[in-house]
Amino acid sequence: MRKPIIAGNWKMNKTVAESRELVTALLPKVKNAKCDVVVCVPFTDIAAVAELTKGSCVAVGAQNVAWADSGAFTAEISAAMLKEAGATYVIIGHSERRQYFGETDKTVNMRLVQALANGLKPILCVGEMLAEREGGKTEEVCRTQVVGAFEGISAADAAKTVIAYEPVWAIGTGKTATDAQANETIGYIRSVVKELYGAAVADGMRIQYGGSMNAKNVDGLMAQPEIDGGLIGGASLKADDFAYIVNAAE
Ligand code: PEP
């Protein structure tokens, strides 16, 4: 049995004051959660949110991590910095990083290696663009991204990773993959993990769906056997909506 994991990706939203307001509203609403709950917040919010969520069921994540320990990497944030601020999870390879900031399978791999070496729990994002889905390339794209991300990573480390399957055409667009599309592609991703690391790692790995997941579609998506939770963008910015999704995931 895989324990579901619901993670919010706040992206570049919420000042420290706003983050305190959102988390203060959220905590009582998710106190009986039966899944793992994470909020991946802007770097500047991590310490404040970690302080507020201490002793609760909500863990704090970052949205990226540097591949190096320290040094001349302007604007990057190291794993040690994230941990000191209170993050325990980190999103790696989000499609917005890949699209707008030049993230490649190689840099995703380097960041994944670094997160795992430092005991941060990675949420690795993979997923195809609309033209790739329409061109019948969904599986090829997901395979390339998964194989590239895990290059040189041991089975023991891979097992600590959560994968988020996020079709790029469904992110922030209000379009959701159908339950069947999401289930099928996540099943395919699990088969790639099985090829790389064997059945035990593949069967134990939590693979989320992400892409306009909300209070209306969460039940159908979570009822799918391959889907182990969600990475939630827009709907994670409202305490009621995010709490609804969390409480729907058992
Ligand atoms: C995301 O950013 O990972 C995401 C899934 O966003 P949204 O839920 O807004 O589509």
Side-chain angles (χ1 to χ4, degrees), residues 29-111:
K29 296 179 199 291
V30 297
K31 65 177 192 301
N32 297 319
K34 299 200 173 54
C35 60
D36 287 341
V37 186
V38 189
V39 286
C40 297
V41 305
F43 294 130
T44 46
D45 295 345
I46 293 173
V49 173
E51 181 66 33
L52 272 179
T53 53
K54 208 179 277 173
S56 79
C57 68
V58 177
V60 183
Q63 298 170 14
N64 201 0
V65 62
W67 58 70
D69 287 339
S70 64
F73 297 97
T74 299
E76 290 284 300
I77 308 283
S78 74
M81 292 168 184
L82 296 180
K83 290 202 302 180
E84 186 183 59
T88 52
Y89 283 83
V90 62
I91 294 174
I92 295 175
H94 191 278
S95 63
E96 287 151 18
R97 301 298 315 170
R98 295 179 191 257
Q99 272 183 285
Y100 308 139
F101 300 100
E103 200 76 66
T104 64
D105 289 337
K106 178 64 190 161
T107 58
V108 166
N109 171 249
M110 290 159 73
R111 294 184 198 279

Side-chain angles (χ1 to χ4, degrees), residues 121-135:
K121 297 174 201 164
I123 299 175
L124 165 69
C125 299
V126 300
E128 81 286 1
M129 316 268 280
L130 183 60
E132 292 165 340
R133 174 158 286 266
E134 289 176 347

Side-chain angles (χ1 to χ4, degrees), residues 3-247:
K3 188 177 186 189
I5 174 166
I6 299 291
N9 173 16
W10 289 8
K11 313 193 186 196
M12 194 177 71
N13 293 291
K14 304 293 174 189
T15 63
V16 171
E18 290 165 345
S19 76
R20 287 204 179 101
E21 214 174 295
L22 175 53
V23 169
T24 303
L26 179 68
L27 286 177
K29 296 179 199 291
V30 297
K31 65 177 192 301
N32 297 319
K34 299 200 173 54
C35 60
D36 287 341
V37 186
V38 189
V39 286
C40 297
V41 305
F43 294 130
T44 46
D45 295 345
I46 293 173
V49 173
E51 181 66 33
L52 272 179
T53 53
K54 208 179 277 173
S56 79
C57 68
V58 177
V60 183
Q63 298 170 14
N64 201 0
V65 62
W67 58 70
D69 287 339
S70 64
F73 297 97
T74 299
E76 290 284 300
I77 308 283
S78 74
M81 292 168 184
L82 296 180
K83 290 202 302 180
E84 186 183 59
T88 52
Y89 283 83
V90 62
I91 294 174
I92 295 175
H94 191 278
S95 63
E96 287 151 18
R97 301 298 315 170
R98 295 179 191 257
Q99 272 183 285
Y100 308 139
F101 300 100
E103 200 76 66
T104 64
D105 289 337
K106 178 64 190 161
T107 58
V108 166
N109 171 249
M110 290 159 73
R111 294 184 198 279
L112 188 57
V113 166
Q114 183 73 352
L116 289 163
N118 286 276
L120 285 167
K121 297 174 201 164
I123 299 175
L124 165 69
C125 299
V126 300
E128 81 286 1
M129 316 268 280
L130 183 60
E132 292 165 340
R133 174 158 286 266
E134 289 176 347
K137 295 207 155 54
T138 297
E139 293 191 349
E140 184 186 324
V141 169
C142 290
R143 166 179 290 275
T144 301
Q145 291 180 354
V146 169
V147 171
F150 283 115
E151 198 183 324
I153 291 175
S154 70
D157 272 346
K160 297 174 193 154
T161 305
V162 173
I163 296 180
Y165 165 58
E166 299 206 302
V168 179
W169 48 272
I171 295 179
T173 58
K175 280 187 205 161
T176 321
T178 63
D179 300 344
Q181 280 174 327
N183 191 64
E184 187 187 0
T185 308
I186 289 178
Y188 176 74
I189 290 169
R190 198 178 302 288
S191 78
V192 175
V193 174
K194 186 175 173 187
E195 276 174 41
L196 293 175
Y197 294 113
V201 172
D203 292 344
M205 184 170 282
R206 294 183 296 179
I207 309 183
Q208 304 169 306
Y209 168 76
S212 299
M213 197 166 177
N214 58 39
K216 291 201 180 77
N217 57 33
V218 60
D219 290 324
L221 288 162
M222 285 305 299
Q224 301 301 310
E226 294 290 351
I227 302 181
D228 304 318
L231 182 57
I232 325 292
S236 71
L237 298 173
K238 295 194 184 112
D240 281 337
D241 290 6
F242 190 60
Y244 184 96
I245 296 167
V246 166
N247 292 320

